DNA sequence: AGGATTTTGAGACTCGTTCTCAAAATGCCG
DNA sequence: CGGCATTTTGAGAACGAGTCTCAAAATCCT
């Protein structure tokens, strides 16, 4: 069988992610873990992140350097507004993309499965 | 001074990009260049691609494995519909995102600078 | 506590990308 | 043309994020 263990590394990672409304890279996560007195190996950080993403509990995003970054994630389809100054992320409900979908269907004959939308700018406290 | 030279590698790369409505990775580009009898080193491929992207003549996209891919690019802001089967890319004019922008302003106090939107599905010939 | 099972960590490894620097190509000017 | 300053190229070294390996440690169950 395949039971799941609750371990110190996993809890430490989940705790940091939950407290931070930003996408963190594996390296940043490692640093925070070290600072907070619970060092965790890179391998474990990656494994845990992959696990969380698979369970839908973390969102994965590739930053502009192609590095994987993660953020704790509520369920449900939505998009992100990312502050280019502090990195804070706000969720934006998804809707009103009908115009685009229609355009795709009629103009291009495209069968839409999926989309991704991301906003960049400055959050309230960074303006 | 800094003059620009017209060279065989640069022309070969531009020719391949212009003929292909898909995002190509540096590796794929290298392979095509080899096939077409104009081998170009990786270093040069990356340098040329970076140059084209800076001049706005090529679009850069990170694929889901974090690899940089490039496609020749008309100017003007628009988005892409990418066929998950053949990779063909169709341009989609940008508009009607007002609903989102409004929501961001009023709900989150977010000052929007920029956004990116990508559609995935199947193109006419792959459905 | 004992033991089957899962998880972890250190470091080797992979692979995309960047860097280095000597050799080759380009364009210019006499 | 032919020489020359300048730019570009290529081979391979270097770098870095991410993955893999496997023995040691942790977890949970009884």
């Amino acid at each position: 069988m395949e039971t799941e263990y609750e371990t110190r590394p996993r809890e430490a990672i989940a705790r940091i992610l939950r407290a931070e409304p930003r996408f963190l890279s594996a390296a940043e996560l490692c640093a925070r873990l070290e600072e907070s007195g619970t060092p965790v190996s890179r391998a474990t950080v990656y494994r845990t992140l992959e696990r969380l993403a698979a369970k839908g509990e973390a969102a994965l995003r590739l930053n502009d350097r192609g590095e994987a970054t993660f953020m704790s994630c509520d369920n449900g389809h939505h998009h992100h507004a990312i502050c280019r100054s502090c990195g804070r992320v706000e969720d934006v409900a998804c809707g009103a993309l009908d115009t685009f979908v229609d355009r795709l269907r009629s103009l291009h004959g495209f069968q839409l499965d999926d989309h991704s939308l991301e906003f960049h700018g400055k959050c309230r406290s960074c303006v």
Side-chain angles (χ1 to χ4, degrees), chain A:
Chain A
M1 230 217 302
E2 285 229 349
T3 329
E4 276 208 346
Y5 290 178
E6 273 176 29
T7 68
R8 201 179 315 265
R10 288 182 181 172
E11 280 161 10
I13 290 170
R15 178 155 22 86
I16 290 184
L17 277 188
R18 255 185 276 110
E20 195 92 36
R22 287 172 186 72
F23 281 93
L24 297 176
S25 68
E28 286 169 322
L29 216 27
C30 276
R32 307 267 176 120
L33 288 162
E34 189 112 46
E35 287 166 22
S36 64
T38 325
V40 176
S41 72
R42 248 171 318 145
T44 298
V45 168
Y46 279 111
R47 281 185 290 232
T48 304
L49 254 17
E50 180 186 17
R51 211 169 116 275
L52 290 174
K55 291 204 294 181
E57 293 175 14
L60 162 63
R61 178 180 117 88
L62 298 172
N63 68 16
D64 52 6
R65 291 207 306 278
E67 300 166 4
T69 62
F70 298 82
M71 186 178 63
S72 85
C73 185
D74 305 353
N75 283 333
H77 182 63
H78 63 265
H79 298 293
H80 294 131
I82 304 174
C83 178
R84 68 168 76 257
S85 167
C86 72
R88 169 173 233 93
V89 175
E90 314 226 8
D91 290 353
V92 182
C94 180
L97 278 180
D98 303 340
T99 310
F100 282 104
V101 176
D102 287 350
R103 201 193 305 261
L104 277 173
R105 288 239 172 70
S106 58
L107 236 65
H108 303 279
F110 208 95
Q111 174 200 303
L112 194 63
D113 293 348
D114 194 9
H115 66 267
S116 69
L117 174 54
E118 214 172 76
F119 294 103
H120 304 270
K122 290 203 172 176
C123 72
R124 201 186 324 250
S125 39
C126 284
V127 168

